[in-house]
Amino acid sequence: MTDTAQPATPAAKSGVKGPAAYFPSIEKKYGRPVTEWKELVRASPLTRHMELVTWLKTEHGLGHGHANALVAHTLAEDSGK
């Protein structure tokens, strides 16, 4: 039997879990700090999770996983979770 596990990402190695684990790759791929993306999400007139995800994908070219991680983390922060 072979081990098919992928090597740990830098975020995983540092113990970062959940949506924040995507942040280093988001910054690298799209060239903006996560704080800027979160400001964009907060400034949007949209409020529902999937509306915001779709908006980030269509208007800013983010992939689904990256958009979802940003929205999930931002909305959780804003709700105090």
Side-chain angles (χ1 to χ4, degrees):
M1 187 159 93
T2 61
D3 182 15
T4 59
Q6 297 294 317
T9 63
K13 289 178 185 176
S14 70
V16 175
K17 295 183 180 186
Y22 285 91
F23 291 175
S25 62
I26 290 170
E27 290 179 339
K28 182 178 180 180
K29 183 167 185 169
Y30 304 106
R32 287 180 149 172
V34 167
T35 54
E36 266 186 48
W37 289 112
K38 290 169 135 187
E39 288 170 12
L40 283 172
V41 169
R42 289 183 175 114
S44 170
L46 304 172
T47 58
R48 299 188 64 180
H49 182 97
M50 285 311 298
E51 290 175 333
L52 288 160
V53 169
T54 300
W55 174 71
L56 286 172
K57 290 167 60 177
T58 58
E59 295 298 317
H60 297 283
L62 272 71
H64 182 81
H66 288 158
N68 190 58
L70 284 167
V71 171
H73 196 271
T74 304
L75 294 179
E77 272 186 346
D78 291 354
S79 71
K81 292 182 180 179

